[in-house]
Amino acid sequence: MRKNALGGPTAPGSTKGARRSGPRHRARTWRTWLVASVAALSVAVSLGITGMMRDNASAAEPEGPRQENFGAALRYSLTHPTAIPAGTNDWSCEPTEAHPEPVVLVHGTVENRYAAWSALAPKLKDAGYCVYALNYGGKEGGAVQGMASMHKSAQQLADFVDKVRSETGAAKVDLVGHSQGGLMSRHYIKAYGGADKVDKLIALSPPNHGTTMGGMTYLANPISDLLTRTACPSCFEQMAGSEFLKALNGGGETKPDIAYTVISTTKDKVVTPYISTFLRPATNVINQRLQDYCGSEDTGHNDMGYSPSATRLVLNALNPGQTRQPAC
């Protein structure tokens, strides 16, 4: 499998003296709009949308239908916020000799387990895995998740993994994370006891070295930073150059007894530059791009869990002894 060298983001050149109608002003406007939208969404949830959504749910964890894309899954989850992806959270599932590690699915920022995994989860179940998915980093019962600090979220993941191990009797689990889910899983491994409980970590478009959001994070202003820190602490932690990332990546990015696979797409417009997803080369690290296998692949950041080629690469990483080329 093809590996890619790590390349870090490069700050854009100075725009000192640019007029307010120039690119710098437009980027600042977009960044302020982005964080203000996140803040408004967070406030709306706290004012009662979560409760309204919870009333629409017929059970604590109703199983939702399979979906074809992230947009359809997200729309469904807004009115079914406690839904779980088909095939997940069967606490009577017993791991097999062929698949001894249960698979825990970890969603990304401002989404939820159903929106991220409604396509991939049932395919993993059909392949014979015991599959589990949690919501984290948001109000219990709410559709908007993944916004709390990753310190809090890593503890939630630690508790969930311990429950999965206890219920299944498995010594270790495999983690599959999308976006923040791949990054936060590394934080769990490093600082919350996961190093001895994880066999493999497979991450889809994780911001392992942060994101510039197309250059917007270099155009900081106090108001937008305050909104980000308050409404979505995890958003701030994922920005290129954050103190969180410096601490996480300091002293080594991986643990030697865990197999790491990063699956990225050159069409990523959320984690920019896309090469910041890659972990530093090591014998237990595989960095992959969808376009290395399917040159015409146009999957973007949000739909990574819905790409057939990405699904094939996930299955290959979970079971390296039976790999197949993605069908393009």
Side-chain angles (χ1 to χ4, degrees), residues 209-210 239-243 245-246:
H209 297 91
M239 292 181 182
S242 73
E243 293 303 316
L245 287 169
K246 290 177 183 177

Side-chain angles (χ1 to χ4, degrees), residues 1-316:
M1 295 186 181
R2 184 170 178 177
K3 297 188 180 182
N4 300 283
L6 174 67
T10 301
S14 173
T15 57
K16 186 176 292 185
R19 292 180 296 177
R20 290 181 60 80
S21 60
R24 181 184 179 93
H25 175 68
R26 288 196 297 271
R28 181 184 293 112
T29 300
W30 275 103
R31 183 169 186 267
T32 303
W33 173 86
L34 175 66
V35 295
S37 297
V38 170
L41 184 60
S42 179
V43 170
V45 171
S46 67
L47 288 178
I49 291 178
T50 300
M52 181 176 64
M53 291 176 177
R54 189 185 297 114
D55 291 341
N56 290 333
S58 60
E61 286 193 333
E63 187 174 281
R66 301 187 187 203
Q67 301 286 355
E68 296 297 323
N69 57 71
F70 176 81
L74 181 62
R75 288 191 293 274
Y76 183 91
S77 72
L78 292 177
T79 53
H80 303 80
T82 60
I84 59 174
T88 63
N89 295 8
D90 176 4
W91 299 103
S92 65
C93 186
E94 297 183 4
T96 64
E97 184 176 350
H99 304 304
E101 284 83 36
V103 177
V104 176
L105 303 175
V106 192
H107 65 75
T109 311
V110 196
E111 57 179 26
N112 54 67
R113 58 189 173 187
Y114 180 81
W117 306 118
S118 65
L120 179 61
K123 293 177 182 177
L124 295 178
K125 182 69 172 181
D126 292 345
Y129 292 93
C130 293
V131 188
Y132 301 89
L134 78 158
N135 280 336
Y136 70 87
K139 283 183 173 291
E140 184 177 358
V144 181
Q145 300 287 327
M147 296 172 68
S149 169
M150 281 184 271
H151 300 295
K152 177 179 179 180
S153 296
Q155 183 59 63
Q156 290 180 286
L157 177 58
D159 294 341
F160 190 80
V161 167
D162 284 347
K163 179 180 179 180
V164 170
R165 293 172 59 245
S166 176
E167 294 291 331
T168 62
K172 294 186 177 183
V173 303
D174 291 335
L175 300 178
V176 178
H178 173 240
S179 193
Q180 181 197 158
L183 180 67
M184 187 271 285
S185 292
R186 287 181 52 220
H187 186 44
Y188 157 63
I189 289 170
K190 182 173 183 177
Y192 287 81
D196 298 326
K197 302 173 184 178
V198 175
D199 187 61
K200 293 179 283 291
L201 170 58
I202 302 152
L204 308 177
S205 294
N208 281 319
H209 297 91
T211 176
T212 69
M213 287 297 290
M216 289 190 289
T217 58
Y218 289 113
L219 303 174
N221 66 68
I223 295 177
S224 61
D225 280 350
L226 177 61
L227 285 172
T228 306
R229 289 177 185 268
T230 302
C232 185
S234 68
C235 297
F236 190 87
E237 291 167 341
Q238 293 173 80
M239 292 181 182
S242 73
E243 293 303 316
F244 175 86
L245 287 169
K246 290 177 183 177
L248 177 61
N249 292 328
E253 297 178 0
T254 58
K255 297 293 184 181
D257 294 332
I258 297 175
Y260 296 82
T261 301
V262 175
I263 304 169
S264 69
T265 173
T266 62
K267 305 299 183 181
D268 201 323
K269 303 301 182 185
V270 176
V271 179
T272 60
Y274 80 88
I275 54 175
S276 67
T277 62
F278 296 146
L279 291 167
R280 295 193 181 279
T283 57
N284 60 330
V285 171
I286 295 176
N287 291 315
Q288 300 173 310
R289 292 179 297 201
L290 295 184
Q291 288 75 18
D292 288 339
Y293 300 89
C294 300
S296 61
E297 178 76 52
D298 63 354
T299 297
H301 183 86
N302 289 336
D303 273 312
M304 287 294 282
Y306 295 84
S307 162
S309 52
T311 296
R312 183 67 255 167
L313 293 177
V314 170
L315 288 168
N316 288 350

